Amino acid sequence: MDWTTNVAVHESVAPEATRKRFITALKNREVDPTLLYSGLRQTSRWIALHHSVSPAKVDPDCVAIYDRAFEQVARSSAANVLHVIGLGCGDGSKDTNCLQLIREASKTTIYTPCDISLEMVLTAHARATSALRGLQSNPVLCELSTCSTMPAILKTFDPAGTDRLLLFLGTIHNYDPGKILKSLLHILRSQDRILISANLAPSATYEKSVSTILSQYDNAPTRSWLMGALSELGLDEKNGRLVFETNRTANYPDLTTIEANFIFSGSKTIEVFSEGIVFGAGEKLKVFTSTRFTVPSLRGILAAAKLEIESEWIARSEEEAVFLCRRK
């Protein structure tokens, strides 16, 4: 069947804004995250990787904590209409599970998938609307941390008397948590709730667990995904090698961040948007980061961001947790 959909495109992902982000990131020796998720090939690589290694996909206990969180939200919402907003929606699989459980609680749902990748928001939109007949879905393409008009965008989709549930699932560990939560607080109204989930490491065995987790990143699907992004910059194995390592987290010295860095074997000029950025032999280009929180550290980060935890669900492995929060 033929189908069409309208996608709201924020200026944060307009060509000029994207060009500036790409160049600024490269000058800072980093890859802009847009390259990791945009385009059909990168989207396909990420989805394949996510479904093969994510605890939320392969660990039944992690799957269960999401379902319990979604069920509680569905039961406890006072409104008959619930607007679910997927911030960093990815392929929309978690969002769709949430929407289905809300509908099973005899409530009407509206869905707004938001991501930096057009392919991701369309994948999430198609997944959700295929699973839930008649679902109103309003995809938004934006760079979440700089989309200052998101409250106004969301307001245009809300019928009167609608509750909102924001989903920020499996994404916080790729950001500076304090900065991204400040952006989310701008979106979150006093009556709204937000579900935040994160990849964790157990407190009691933190250093050992992070070392084990680091080895899990060094695999063929992850390398294919990251090298796919680097190929958009004209880089391949002849120009250097991809190395996975751990470093202390900026602003959070008790936490460790897993990094994937491309180390140049020789001098290389990356040409992007008619501008050349020179890298020397031995220099690092940061491709990907993932901070490993603990349950206590994430509780503290949420409290510092003026978010009150209403409920929490923690996997037995302590490698995944979901927090239901409101503004303080």
Side-chain angles (χ1 to χ4, degrees):
M1 182 191 298
D2 291 343
W3 61 274
T4 62
T5 188
N6 293 321
V7 179
V9 180
H10 184 256
E11 64 179 359
S12 59
V13 291
E16 183 60 23
T18 300
R19 175 185 180 277
K20 288 180 179 178
R21 276 204 323 277
F22 276 26
I23 292 172
T24 299
L26 286 171
K27 288 180 176 179
N28 290 331
R29 279 26 195 175
E30 298 175 353
V31 170
D32 184 81
T34 308
L35 275 179
L36 296 175
Y37 303 100
S38 293
L40 182 59
R41 286 187 299 176
Q42 280 303 101
T43 299
S44 300
R45 289 174 180 134
W46 181 85
I47 291 173
L49 171 63
H50 179 66
H51 284 256
S52 64
V53 303
S54 171
K57 292 292 181 184
V58 300
D59 182 345
D61 186 49
C62 285
V63 175
I65 67 172
Y66 282 94
D67 286 345
R68 289 198 292 272
F70 298 153
E71 287 169 352
Q72 176 165 320
V73 169
R75 290 195 309 269
S76 59
S77 175
N80 291 323
V81 182
L82 192 58
H83 184 182
V84 176
I85 300 140
L87 302 171
C89 61
D91 69 349
S93 52
K94 293 190 190 81
D95 296 8
T96 300
N97 289 346
C98 179
L99 291 162
Q100 288 175 317
L101 288 168
I102 292 170
R103 184 171 281 191
E104 288 173 11
S106 300
K107 297 183 186 295
T108 300
T109 55
I110 298 170
Y111 180 43
T112 299
C114 306
D115 211 294
I116 201 169
S117 160
L118 177 62
E119 291 77 16
M120 288 294 188
V121 294
L122 290 177
T123 298
H125 166 82
R127 181 186 296 275
T129 54
S130 296
L132 290 92
R133 186 180 297 276
L135 176 69
Q136 177 185 325
S137 175
N138 309 286
V140 176
L141 188 65
C142 69
E143 204 289 308
L144 187 59
S145 63
T146 58
C147 186
S148 59
T149 59
M150 181 63 80
I153 294 170
L154 295 175
K155 188 175 181 180
T156 65
F157 304 143
D158 283 335
T162 303
D163 276 356
R164 283 188 197 160
L165 172 67
L166 279 63
L167 304 179
F168 193 56
L169 305 177
T171 304
I172 191 172
H173 44 267
N174 300 133
Y175 290 89
D176 178 309
K179 290 180 180 179
I180 193 61
L181 289 175
K182 184 177 180 180
S183 296
L184 298 189
L185 209 65
H186 177 65
I187 303 170
L188 192 69
R189 304 173 305 180
S190 59
Q191 67 268 38
D192 297 338
R193 292 186 289 178
I194 182 169
L195 277 172
I196 299 173
S197 74
N199 297 149
L200 309 173
S203 302
T205 57
Y206 184 75
E207 298 298 338
K208 180 180 179 181
S209 296
V210 171
S211 296
T212 301
I213 292 164
L214 174 65
S215 66
Q216 295 171 358
Y217 277 84
D218 193 357
N219 54 58
T222 303
R223 286 181 171 273
S224 173
W225 174 52
L226 298 178
M227 289 304 300
L230 290 172
S231 71
E232 297 294 322
L233 300 173
L235 299 175
D236 58 28
E237 287 83 357
K238 296 190 293 293
N239 303 118
R241 69 188 195 280
L242 196 61
V243 174
F244 296 87
E245 57 190 22
T246 58
N247 288 297
R248 286 300 175 189
T249 304
N251 303 319
Y252 302 92
D254 293 336
L255 298 178
T256 297
T257 294
I258 295 169
E259 294 183 3
N261 291 294
F262 188 79
I263 302 178
F264 289 84
S265 56
S267 180
K268 173 70 175 178
T269 300
I270 297 178
E271 299 284 348
V272 57
F273 300 110
S274 302
E275 185 161 347
I277 296 96
V278 180
F279 289 81
E283 275 202 85
K284 290 182 179 180
L285 175 61
K286 188 183 295 183
V287 186
F288 171 80
T289 64
S290 178
T291 299
R292 286 289 161 161
F293 304 99
T294 61
V295 171
S297 69
L298 196 49
R299 286 174 182 151
I301 288 167
L302 294 173
K306 302 189 184 306
L307 287 169
E308 180 180 357
I309 299 172
E310 185 175 300
S311 297
E312 62 183 30
W313 299 264
I314 301 165
R316 286 189 292 269
S317 65
E318 290 188 43
E319 291 187 2
E320 194 99 3
V322 183
F323 298 86
L324 178 63
C325 304
R326 292 183 182 271
R327 291 182 71 116
K328 285 188 176 180

